[in-house]
Amino acid sequence: SNDQSSSTFTAIASSGGVAIPFSEGFESTTFVPVGWTLSNPDNADTWGRTTAAKKTGLASAKLDNFTNPFAGESDAMITPALNLSAQPSPSLTFQVAYKLYTSPTANPNYSDTLDVSISTDCGATYTSLYKKFGTALTTTTPTFGTAAFVPTNTQWRLETVSLAAYASAQNAYIKFTNISGYEQNIYLDDINITGSVGLNEQANSSVLVNVYPNPNSGQVTVEVANHQGNAVGEISIYNVIGQKVLNPFKGLSTIQSIDMSSLTNGVYQVEVKSNGTSTFKKVVLNK
C-alpha cells in the first residue's frame, strides 16, 4: 500500500489537423520539430538533427545505428495531426540515405529497418505504408561499408508513398520508425505531404516559377514566366506546418523581390496563384 508508480505519456489533441501541403526539412535547430512527437522507449540513442549530411538546405534527421548496440529497438518520429482531406489525392515523399555495415551476401546478414506508417485514430493503431531493409533500403554503391556512414548529396533516394486510401482523414499521423539492427546510420530529409501535386512540381502548366537564391539570407526573388498571359494574382509564404506567414504580394509583375528577414531560419513554401490554380516552390531561409 505504500508503493508508487509513475508513467510518461503523450496526449494528442483530436481537433482538426494541419492542412496540407506540409513539409519538414529539419532546418530549425529545434528537434523534434514543433508539433512532432518523438518515441524513444529505452531513452537511449534515437532520432536527432545533424548538419553533417543533408539532401537540401542545411540539415537532416539521423539515427545512429552504427554505435547503438540495442538491436531490435524501435525509435520513431511522428508528425503533427494532418488534415489529408484538404487536397485531393494526398501523397508522401521523402529523401532517405542508408548503407549497410554487413555485406548482404554474408551468412548471417543484418540490416536496420525503416517503417513508415499512418494512424487515423489518434495514434491508437498504425498501419504500415512502407517498410524496407537490406539492399532495398540502401542508397549507395557499394551497398555496405564498415566506416560510419555520412552520405554525399548523390547518395540519397526520393521515396513516394500514396496516401490516397486516407484522403478523407482529417487527423492523420505519419510515423517514421527505425528498427535497429546495429548496422549503420540512416538519414531522412525533405519530408513532404501534398495533394496531387508535389512541392517541386508545377500545378499550372502555363506558369513556371523560379525562386532564387535558394537557400537565401533574407531576400528572395520570385520570377514568374506566364506563357498564356494569365494574371498572377498572389504570392504567399507558408511555414512547415502550413501557416501563412507572409502574404503582402498581389497584382504582381513577373519578378517580385520578397523580404523574409523577419522570419526564423527554416524551410518555407512559396505559393504562386494564377488563373485559379497554385504552384508551390520550396525555399530555405538561412540568415
Side-chain angles (χ1 to χ4, degrees), residues 151-166:
T152 65
N153 188 259
T154 60
Q155 293 178 315
W156 295 77
R157 182 178 64 242
L158 178 66
E159 301 282 41
T160 301
V161 179
S162 174
L163 302 175
Y166 302 90

Side-chain angles (χ1 to χ4, degrees), residues 196-221:
S196 56
V197 178
L199 291 178
N200 295 318
E201 300 176 68
Q202 303 299 327
N204 183 350
S205 60
S206 67
V207 178
L208 299 177
V209 176
N210 187 27
V211 178
Y212 59 88
N214 195 8
N216 73 87
S217 59
Q219 299 293 325
V220 66
T221 297

